[in-house]
Amino acid sequence: MEDSGRTEPDQAIIEVVKMLDNGTLEICHGVTMRNGPRPAITGWTSEPGDPDFVEFATRHGVTKPGQVSTIRKELREGKWTETQEKLGDW
């Protein structure tokens, strides 16, 4: 599969974090490998006070309801790159 002239990464890690109206984080984490099994995707919610709430809120920068952040890490030829896309009112 080609993407703008680039080949598919050897591995990709994708995190999506959305802050809901009540301040809870909706988190989706996925890992894909070019020659591996089907993608492993997990999803959960985290409320203020939960052990992972601060970690994900800080990493993604979400601070108010409606904000959505997607961080994509890709491994290509032994080198990791990271991009972030933000949606909502930042």
Side-chain angles (χ1 to χ4, degrees):
M1 180 171 136
E2 295 284 326
D3 181 14
S4 301
R6 296 172 55 191
T7 60
E8 188 176 327
D10 297 323
Q11 183 175 358
I13 301 170
I14 302 167
E15 288 181 352
V16 180
V17 173
K18 176 181 181 180
M19 185 172 280
L20 304 177
D21 289 339
N22 65 1
T24 297
L25 298 180
E26 189 174 76
I27 303 166
C28 182
H29 179 89
V31 177
T32 63
M33 298 179 74
R34 181 173 26 176
N35 297 318
R38 291 178 28 163
I41 300 171
T42 56
W44 67 97
T45 58
S46 182
E47 299 176 356
D50 286 348
D52 60 354
F53 182 88
V54 172
E55 173 189 349
F56 282 91
T58 301
R59 180 166 50 242
H60 286 264
V62 295
T63 59
K64 55 187 175 181
Q67 292 179 328
V68 180
S69 166
T70 302
I71 293 178
R72 181 178 178 90
K73 299 176 185 177
E74 294 183 343
L75 177 64
R76 293 177 190 273
E77 298 178 4
K79 182 178 179 185
W80 284 98
T81 59
E82 182 176 310
T83 59
Q84 183 176 19
E85 179 182 350
K86 296 178 179 183
L87 300 173
D89 181 17
W90 289 83

